[in-house]
Each structure stands twice: as C-alpha cells, then as structure tokens.
Amino acid sequence: MSNASSSRNRWMTPAPKAPLRKAAEFMKRSDVWARIGLCALTAAILYVVMFGWEEPFSYRVRQAPVRDLHANTSFLYEDYKATVEKRDRVRRNFLCFYANDPQELGDLRLALINDVFKIKQQEFGEIEKSNVWSKFFPADANDESETAADEESFNLFREAIAADEELATLRSAIDKAFLEIDKHGLLEDLAHENSQGSMEEIEVYPIGNFEDPHRVIVSQVRIAEVADDLHRRLVDELGKESAVITDSNLVAQRIFDWLKPQLPTTLSWDEPRSKAGAEEAVRKVETVMKQIEPGDQLEQQDVRVIDLRGIKAGLPLGSEDIRLLRSEHAAKVRSEGLGVKAIRSMMFFGLFTAIFSMFCQYLYYRDRNLLDDLKQFAVLLGLMLVTLTLAWVVSMNVEWRAEIVPITIFAMTVAIVYHIELAMLLAAMVSLAFTVAHGFGLGEFVILTAASSTASLMCRTIRSRTKLVNIGMIVAAVVFPTVIGVSFLLGQPLAWALVTDALWFAGGAGVAGLVMTALLPFLERLFDIQTDISLLELSDANHPLLKELVQRAPGTYNHSINVASMGEAAAEAIGANGLLCRVGAYFHDVGKLRKPEYFIENQAGGPNKHDDLVPTMSTLVIIAHVKDGIEIGKKHRLPQRIIDLIEQHHGTTLVEYFYRRAAKQLESQIGDEAVTPLDDSDYRYPGPRPQTPEAAVMMLADTVESASRALREPAPARIESLVREIAKKKFDDGQFEECNITIKQLNTIQESLIKSLNAMYHARVKYPESQTA
C-alpha cells in the first residue's frame, strides 16, 4: 500500500515548465518589451543612417585588391581621355579677346597729311635736306639714276596734289582706305599661344566698349598681311578720284611707301577676359561617357598622363580608382530590386538582433543593475548609436581612417563611467557591427578591437588629464604595428601605402586621447561620475566643507582623516576604489556640523550634552547626522557617490550605547504595568545598508576607529580582537548582505584595518626626561 501511495505521489508532482512556456511568460512582461522596443528603435535609426538596404561600399584609398577587379554590372563612366581631348579642342578653338585703340591710326594719317603739305610748299632741294621726301620715296642715295628718278617722282607727285581740292580729295581717299583697318585694328603677331585660344580668329572690341565685340580673321589684322590689301585700297580709292588727282597710281604708291613702315599695333590681348571666357567654355563642355559592360576589366585613366590602366591585384587604389568603383557600386545599387533590398534589410536587422542579444545576456548575468535600470540601459544604447553614427559619417571619406576616433572614445567613456569589462565587450560589439555593416574584412575588426581594448584597459585609474593623452599615445603605439601586421597577413603588400594607413589609424588614436581630455569634464557632469581627477579635486583641504569641519568640529575632522587613511588602504587591499573611499571618508560625518557639541569627539572633556537627554532623544540627535549630512552634501553639490557613502556608512546598525542605556532604564522600571517594551528599531539608523564594497569598508573603518579610542591599552592583541568582534557583529547583523562582498574580502579588510590601527597606536620609547616627570 505504501508503494502504491508513493508511486501515486510521484506522478502527482508538478512537472517543470517547458522552455517555450517560460519564454512565453517572459515575453508577457512589460519591462521586457520596453527594452526590446529600445533595441528595435536603435536598430531602426542605424538602418536609416547606414543605408541598411544597400550593399556597402567597402573599398578605401590605399587598399590593394587581392584580385583583378571586373565590372559586376553595366554602367556609364566618364571617358577621361576623350573628355580632356574635347575640352582641349574647345580651349584651342576659343576666340581670345583683343581691345582695339584706333587713335594711333588717326594720328598716323594726320602726320601723313602734314608731310604732304610740306612737299606741296617746298622745292625738291629744300625738302631733300629735311628727309621728308625719303619717307615717300625710299631710294638708294649712292645710286645716281635713282636720285634722278627721285626728283622726277617728286615733281609728278607735287603736281598731282598742287590744288587744294586735290589735297582734300587725297585726305578723303586715305580715310576710306583705312575704314576696315580702323574697325579691325592691327598687330604684328598674336600675343596668346596656341593652347590659350584660336590662332585663326579673334574677338575684337573697341577699347572701353567690351559689350560690342566682333569676330575677325587674324589675316585681316596682321600688319604683314594687311599691307598689300591697304595698297590695293589706296589705288582703288584714288583711282575713283582720277578726275581730280592725276596719276593716281603714282600718288597711291608714294602714300603707301610712307605708311607701310609706320603702321602701328592697335590691338592688345585682354588676357583676364580671355582666360575667364576660355574656362567658362571648358566648364560647359559635357563629359564624354563610355559604357562598361559586366565582366569588363575596370580600367582607370591616370589624370596626369592620360594612360589607361587596369585595377590590378596588389596595386593600391587611388582616388580615381575609388571614383570608378563608386560609379559601379551606385549602378549596382540602382539595378537591385525590392527583393534583394528586403533580404539585405533582414540580414541587417539580424546582425543587430544578435548583437543586442549578446549585450542583454551579458547584462543579465554579469551586470543586472544596468539591465534593470531602464534609464541606464537607454544611455548605453544611446552611446552605441552615437558611436556607430559618427564612425559611419567619418568613414564616408575614403582617404581617412577616422572611424577609430569615435570607437576609441566610446571604449574610454564606458570604461570610465561603468567598468572595464563592459567597455571591452561593448567596444568589440560596436567594432563588429561597424565592420560587418560597412563590408570591411577581418582586419578592420581586429584593428578596432585592439584599439578599443587597449584604451579600456588603460582607463583603470585616471589621476590626471594628461593620462588621457598618454592613453591615446599608447593606443597609437599598439595600433600602428597591428595595422601593418594584420594587413600584411591578409594579403596587403608591404608598401608605403600600408605604412600610410597605419599612420592614419595611429593618428586617429592619438586624436581620440586629446578629444577625450576635453570631453571628460562634460562626461563627469552628464553621467554624474567621479574620476580620480575629480576625487582628487574634492580632497583638497581648502574645500569649504572641510575648512568648516576643522573650525567647528575639529574632533570629527581628525576622526575623518584617520578613517580616510584606514579605509583607503583596506579598499585597495580588496581591489576596490581606494581613492573614492578616502574622499568619501573626508565627508562622511559632515552632518555633525549641525550639532557638533553632541558628539563626544568634539566635547574636549567638557560636559556631555546627552546627560540631560533621554536615550530616545539622544538617539534621534545621533541618527540625524546622516540625514543632515545628505542635505549638506547636496547643498554643496557633492557627487552622488559621495552622498551615497554618507547615507550608507552606518547602514541599519543599532545605536548600542543609547539602546543599552534605555534597556537599563527599562529594567529599573520592571513591575510598573505601564512600561512599554523596548523596540530596537527605534534605535537603528534608517539605512540603507552598504550597497558597494567601498561603503562596507567605510562602515568598518568608521566603527573600529571610533571604538579603538575607548581602548585603555591599545595593544596589538586587543586591537585585533576589537576589529574582529566588530566585523563579526556587523556580519551577523546582515549589514553586508547587499554589497556583493565575499568572506575572503571581509577577512582582508579586517587584516588591513588591524595593520592600520597598530601603526596608529604603535609603542614609543620612553625617554629619561619623561620617566622622571
């Protein structure tokens, strides 16, 4: 019967819940969905920022492809050689601007008429001495036959223009012959070169009137070519006046002989307007495009030598290569359908689902407080979002390698605000997300992880702002060989391009240290954190609270200094923040400033205020110094971590002295029916209990320092017994249940406190003088 009963009971035992049921119940929780929503929102923003539906462009300047590159899709790309040739043709055919100043031609004709007047008024002998006629008839003076012909020609010319009417007709004919020359101008040769404009035609405008240019053939203005045309026009115009001017051919020849050697240059090259016009014409030239088909080897023209070259394996990419590859990438993205984009979008969200899952699992098992605190969880996601966004933006410049800057700053920030382990994990996740989403390879991930891990590990203690600069230099020293080594192992040639890349990464790490130095004060205020730098600033003896403590409560000040020394040593012994413990100890009793005379260390042997008070009132006065300390700390803007130490340094311990005093009074009243039982909760501090190892250390250091003063003979054995008794009492009272401290650490704290107290109460040699006294 018993066997049957036990069998029945076994089958009636409730079965454990199935994993799917557990998961279903877990997903019903609103706080879980709040965190899932934050992760989804972060992923959605990154999806938009990173163009998660597009294939990433993963090529960078100085990167050497591991294979020859061929087109994956058809696309149009600039035919650089044909474009340059077209632009050169436009530049060579551009009509340069020349300004025409016809004033010199008018002056020349006036000088001609003046010499004609002289010939008309003087005889050959007179005119010969003045060399005026030699301009009209350039003859050889040593040839007698030419001299005779010269005189004959002079007489014929003089007869042809003897009358005033003939002279006026001559003037009119010369002006008509110069009409075209006045309009177009004259020059010896073009002032511009073949590469600067057309050598066949120019644009001529009257000087001072740029708005009225006209096209002119160069042969119409070059003096060497215009001279014969001028002679023909003189003959034609004077021939029309043969009824007035006899022997018009002779007159035309003499006039031409005078003019030809004196024809001036009236055209000047307007270089600024010509160059500006040529550049404008070149800018308007449309780019010549060529069709590249799938499978064609990608070739890029060198802009300096106009030489086609393929993008070969092992050759570093240049900026022109990147332009070509970007064109191919853009064409490929445009050709992708909605189905491909949907699949890529799913993969993108899958990546961040995996990353956020790892992130949440780590927090669940290793740092539950950050997961439970929705605000802190959102801050961490926000930091990841900002970091990835900045890294993506700066990486759009393919020549820089600046993505290392925001990722290194992110790692340093998390290490300082939270802790190193979390910083290394999150930085690795951010590096992974950036590398995969950007299409980079393993090398990029290793480099970014090496930089962020080094920066995180170096942020263990920050006691000066120059430490952050030094961290940047150390990270740079680590990154430089890492870039060269990893890249070489992954197939990059050992060339100057690889060294340049390593210098870019190392320089970015150094910049991250400098930027972090400037950001640190803002991060301290934003996240309410205390680095060693801010803690050292608080430990200054000139702090207003410490100065007031010295003046109004010197005994409390001396007690705080001793607790600080003991607490720092004990905290460092267990790997806690010793500096935080020391600075917190300086301020842990500032609440006693409200009523310093009610605390024994400030009474200096005078009357005890508590003699006139009942135990319950005395307890209220003693306990109030915690609440007063919190108010004073907030008033003086002490950091929250220091205020937490003020609040927790007594936990929920019992004010034993007054509790025992009340108990004795209660015992003396036994037999009286009106006696109310003693409730120890009325004699306990309000708490909370210590939440951190530093608060636990301060509680013990504060208690043993105060208790040791009551020892009449503080021998080492008595000190050890006192410390261990106090520690056991606190432990049994449950004061260390919420601060994540181990028995081993508790024992280490006791050993450190015993050592410190023995140093404080060490024996001294008695000198003869003191013995006599």
Side-chain angles (χ1 to χ4, degrees), residues 584-606:
Y586 288 156
F587 297 96
H588 80 286
D589 274 343
V590 292
K592 294 180 180 180
L593 286 171
R594 293 278 174 89
K595 296 176 181 179
E597 66 277 7
Y598 281 86
F599 297 90
I600 189 67
E601 68 266 22
N602 298 316
Q603 292 174 358

Side-chain angles (χ1 to χ4, degrees), residues 15 99 213 254 457 462 527 549 553 562 591 594 625 628 711 735 761:
R254 297 286 76 80
L457 290 170
I462 307 294
F527 293 102
L549 202 61
N562 290 336
R594 293 278 174 89
H625 88 275
D628 293 338
L711 292 174
Q735 297 301 317
Y761 294 107

Side-chain angles (χ1 to χ4, degrees), residues 64-69 297 310-316 493:
V66 295
R67 59 178 177 80
D68 295 351
L69 298 185
Q297 182 173 3
I311 300 180
K312 301 285 187 180
L315 295 179

Side-chain angles (χ1 to χ4, degrees), residues 296-370:
D296 291 350
Q297 182 173 3
L298 294 176
E299 293 180 331
Q300 179 57 52
Q301 298 161 337
D302 192 309
V303 298
R304 293 163 293 186
V305 298
I306 319 298
D307 182 27
L308 288 171
R309 60 180 179 85
I311 300 180
K312 301 285 187 180
L315 295 179
L317 299 175
S319 57
E320 289 299 316
D321 299 324
I322 295 297
R323 284 184 58 207
L324 173 61
L325 292 169
R326 278 197 183 279
S327 297
E328 183 209 22
H329 175 261
K332 187 176 181 181
V333 169
R334 288 193 298 269
S335 66
E336 290 179 342
L338 291 177
V340 175
K341 292 181 178 179
I343 293 173
R344 185 165 286 115
S345 298
M346 291 172 58
M347 297 302 104
F348 182 91
F349 284 108
L351 168 66
F352 280 95
T353 299
I355 288 175
F356 290 145
S357 297
M358 289 188 292
F359 170 50
C360 292
Q361 287 184 50
Y362 169 82
L363 294 181
Y364 184 83
Y365 289 107
R366 299 285 295 175
D367 214 334
R368 184 73 66 85
N369 291 334
L370 291 178

